Amino acid sequence: MTFDVAVIGMGPVGELAALLLARAGLTVLVLEREADVYPNPRVGVLDGEALRTLQKAGVYERTASDMLLGAGAQWVSARGKVVATTLPTEKIQGHPWMSAIYQPLLDKHLRAALAEYPGVDTRLGHRFTGLTQHDDDVELTFRTADGETGNARARFVLGCDGANSAVREAIGVQLVGSAYADTWLIVDAKLPEPIAHIPYFQMTLDPAAPSLTGRLAAGGHRWERRVMPWDDRDEILTPQAARRVIAEVANPDTAEILRHLIYTFRAKSAERWRVGRVLLCGDAAHLMPPMIGQGLNSGIRDVTNLTWKIAAVVKAGAPLRILDSYESERRPHADAITAMSVRAGRLVTMQSRWAAAIRDAMGVSLLRIPPLREHVRQGRWRPPARYHRGLLLGRPSLRSPVGRLFPQPLVRTFSGAEHRLDDVAGSGWRIVGWDRDPREALSPHGRRIAEDILDATYVTLTAPGRRPVQRGAPTQILEDLHELSRPYFKRRPFVVLRPDHYVWANPTSAALDGAVRELVRQAHAEAIEPATGSVESLAAQPDNSIP
């Protein structure tokens, strides 16, 4: 048997990759060298985009019950004065900006969901050892827990096997990047009850010993402290040292220490993320410091971007070249987030007391300005991805929504029920109109293409109270209760959304037919002749503005 995709590595990135592929109807082989879930927490937070991907994968409800939804972050001076706080009320993606997790529980939920798909073959205790690429597939070799050698074939391989990726080594790709390295002591423990005076992730900006502490889900708590030049590394790894760290805020006699280690954070990226039919995701593709909590979240963005494209190649006969858009779209944002993480790390670990005092004073002063304070409070300092080239139609620019992540507003249906948009409209191809029914702008042939080939969903959004009230009005019109999506339309009434929720096109009514035809030519095997001048006229039209 030749699988559609082989996923190497079963952390959350690999598990979600396999789930998204399985939901698209593909057969998946998953290889994981460990025999069971890693028992201790590693990653501590998921952002709103990651939760939207869990929603797309059909596992949000089962995983959210074990999270602390809506966590915040504080930066505190060495004297205990709050310098800045991020505690967003906005839910642009339909979920909180940041939520605390307990990774072993997340892994267990994702693996339980995978077990429900008959097309997924999960093999634990299997160590990937090599691969050979052919024209139409990839041959994999592995070693079982019993030491036996095995092999399998798959049309594509995803390397989700972490920082020391064996898949990356097998395709001859190196990690490159800055010489940045920062070493921290990490202590994870279970506490009988939460620490009342630390409701947020709290970074202490102490030049003598920068540190981070924060609640995880399921009774977990994390402490991180920078390893300073004068520290005795053997001593700070003793049980007594871990107890001293915990004793600063909690009773160490009631804590169950789960993990106590020294870890060096780095900022690197793979030279290439795709070699033939093999693609790298998550830490196999990029490493970043954890200062803004984006390592795992960036990996989840990777597989959200990639899996629907692989499904289009396997199920719809899309050309292999669409997989080139994976790296061209994702790498710029991963690089930007890595650079931001490095800057944040250097900012919070200043060792000069004078420089740290100036930093803290400037932060407090600047945040007295209401727009800046709100910017930080809502977490807008962390930039969303914006695709400037790749699988898009039109010219992405500051004035165009093309290449932007479309929000997930809370919507009200005709019956009065309130839902997240994706729960009503799905997460495949969507043609969305503002105060306009997309079907009215499509020709009969265009509707056939949208429905029979793209399997697209039509969505009409309106402002609250603007739904048509006359008898016979369509019942599928949705009220965007907070008008989150309104800025993505302006003078053009339609957007075409990709399965990863990014805006593929923003056509006028006259150009919607041409956009649908161009979409089929880009992402499907069927040959559709364009209406004369339709695509060209779409590209030539001026971009519309959004804030």
Side-chain angles (χ1 to χ4, degrees):
M1 173 184 178
T2 298
F3 292 89
D4 292 323
V5 184
V7 176
I8 314 302
M10 283 192 76
V13 171
E15 291 156 353
L16 275 170
L19 273 171
L20 293 169
L21 293 164
R23 284 177 70 84
L26 275 61
T27 57
V28 185
L29 170 67
V30 188
L31 300 180
E32 166 55 44
R33 67 182 183 180
E34 302 296 336
D36 202 351
V37 168
Y38 183 72
N40 296 328
R42 286 177 286 190
V43 177
V45 296
L46 293 180
D47 64 17
E49 289 182 50
L51 295 187
R52 193 174 183 184
T53 294
L54 292 176
Q55 181 187 352
K56 177 181 173 68
V59 293
Y60 172 72
E61 299 299 336
R62 70 166 78 186
T63 57
S65 61
D66 288 317
M67 298 181 190
L68 297 176
L69 297 173
Q74 280 187 330
W75 291 263
V76 180
S77 73
R79 297 182 178 181
K81 183 175 182 179
V82 175
V83 176
T85 299
T86 295
L87 191 61
T89 56
E90 298 174 343
K91 295 183 179 180
I92 303 300
Q93 301 305 319
H95 299 281
W97 178 80
M98 183 173 72
S99 298
I101 66 170
Y102 189 70
Q103 186 177 333
L105 289 180
L106 176 65
D107 283 320
K108 288 178 180 179
H109 284 308
L110 296 180
R111 294 187 185 192
L114 276 175
E116 298 168 5
Y117 288 90
V120 176
D121 183 350
T122 299
R123 303 185 191 182
L124 300 176
H126 284 56
R127 182 183 294 271
F128 166 83
T129 56
L131 59 82
T132 303
Q133 296 209 49
H134 304 286
D135 290 342
D136 297 323
D137 61 16
V138 182
E139 184 176 1
L140 303 166
T141 58
F142 51 83
R143 186 174 291 109
T144 69
D146 297 328
E148 297 181 358
T149 299
N151 59 72
R153 301 181 84 96
R155 296 179 64 180
F156 297 96
V157 175
L158 301 189
C160 304
D161 51 340
N164 299 314
S165 171
V167 175
R168 189 179 63 232
E169 181 179 355
I171 57 176
V173 172
Q174 302 295 318
L175 283 175
V176 296
S178 74
Y180 175 88
D182 202 13
T183 303
W184 287 64
L185 175 74
I186 299 174
V187 177
D188 283 313
K190 284 262 193 178
L191 300 178
E193 58 186 25
I195 301 171
H197 65 281
I198 305 180
Y200 314 122
F201 285 91
Q202 186 180 95
M203 173 66 76
T204 300
L205 308 174
D206 185 352
S211 62
L212 170 72
T213 187
R215 290 174 60 190
L216 305 180
H221 200 95
R222 172 163 296 169
W223 291 263
E224 297 182 10
R225 185 183 301 268
R226 194 186 194 203
V227 177
M228 306 305 286
W230 51 83
D231 283 327
D232 181 335
R233 296 197 178 197
D234 291 333
E235 194 279 329
I236 63 176
L237 284 175
T238 62
Q240 294 79 9
R243 288 172 56 84
R244 285 198 300 271
V245 170
I246 296 171
E248 293 179 4
V249 292
N251 182 357
D253 294 333
T254 63
E256 176 191 357
I257 298 175
L258 303 174
R259 191 169 67 139
H260 180 200
L261 53 81
I262 291 174
Y263 193 88
T264 298
F265 305 124
R266 301 189 184 277
K268 302 282 187 181
S269 183
E271 296 170 304
R272 291 177 291 166
W273 294 12
R274 177 191 173 201
V275 176
R277 292 177 173 268
V278 182
L279 301 103
L280 304 174
C281 303
D283 285 353
H286 44 73
L287 298 175
M288 61 187 67
M291 298 305 175
I292 59 174
Q294 285 295 289
L296 172 58
N297 292 289
S298 293
I300 292 174
R301 290 189 191 97
D302 293 344
V303 297
T304 308
N305 178 290
L306 178 59
T307 49
W308 70 268
K309 296 173 182 176
I310 291 178
V313 173
V314 174
K315 302 282 285 187
L320 275 173
R321 64 177 179 272
I322 74 167
L323 300 182
D324 291 333
S325 66
Y326 163 57
E327 183 174 348
S328 66
E329 291 174 352
R330 282 291 306 130
R331 182 187 282 276
H333 188 250
D335 287 348
I337 289 294
T338 300
M340 175 176 280
S341 300
V342 169
R343 290 194 300 271
R346 288 173 173 156
L347 189 65
V348 303
T349 58
M350 288 180 173
Q351 292 188 40
S352 166
R353 291 193 173 276
W354 285 105
I358 293 171
R359 172 201 60 199
D360 297 348
M362 287 183 63
V364 170
S365 297
L366 287 172
L367 293 181
R368 290 195 180 103
I369 303 171
L372 283 178
R373 184 170 61 249
E374 185 67 4
H375 185 83
V376 171
R377 187 172 76 90
Q378 296 297 347
R380 298 177 194 145
W381 47 265
R382 192 176 67 201
R386 175 71 191 279
Y387 299 155
H388 293 278
R389 60 192 182 97
L391 199 59
L392 307 167
L393 182 63
R395 301 188 184 98
S397 71
L398 292 176
R399 297 170 57 83
S400 168
V402 172
R404 294 195 180 195
L405 181 60
F406 196 75
Q408 182 180 203
L410 188 67
V411 297
R412 182 162 48 218
T413 66
F414 186 80
S415 67
E418 296 179 3
H419 301 275
R420 297 184 185 94
L421 175 63
D422 298 349
D423 289 335
V424 180
S427 57
W429 287 99
R430 285 146 291 171
I431 305 174
V432 185
W434 183 267
D435 275 336
R436 292 287 306 276
D437 186 340
R439 294 172 298 180
E440 296 176 353
L442 288 170
S443 68
H445 187 47
R447 289 181 62 177
R448 184 188 70 79
I449 295 171
E451 296 163 14
D452 297 343
I453 299 177
L454 298 175
D455 194 25
T457 301
Y458 302 116
V459 182
T460 300
L461 296 172
T462 72
R466 296 297 301 274
R467 178 197 306 278
V469 295
Q470 67 270 22
R471 179 174 294 182
T475 59
Q476 73 276 15
I477 297 175
L478 305 173
E479 291 179 299
D480 181 344
L481 294 181
H482 301 103
E483 298 191 62
L484 290 181
S485 63
R486 179 67 184 93
Y488 288 70
F489 296 92
K490 292 294 185 180
R491 296 186 299 274
R492 294 184 182 180
F494 300 109
V495 294
V496 180
L497 302 184
R498 307 183 336 176
D500 58 2
H501 315 302
Y502 280 80
V503 178
W504 180 79
N506 177 216
T508 63
S509 297
L512 184 57
D513 245 42
V516 168
R517 293 168 183 268
E518 175 63 13
L519 171 54
V520 171
R521 283 197 302 277
Q522 282 193 17
H524 284 70
E526 285 86 349
I528 304 296
E529 288 300 320
T532 303
S534 59
V535 176
E536 291 76 6
S537 63
L538 174 64
Q541 291 171 4
D543 293 322
N544 64 301
S545 302
I546 73 172

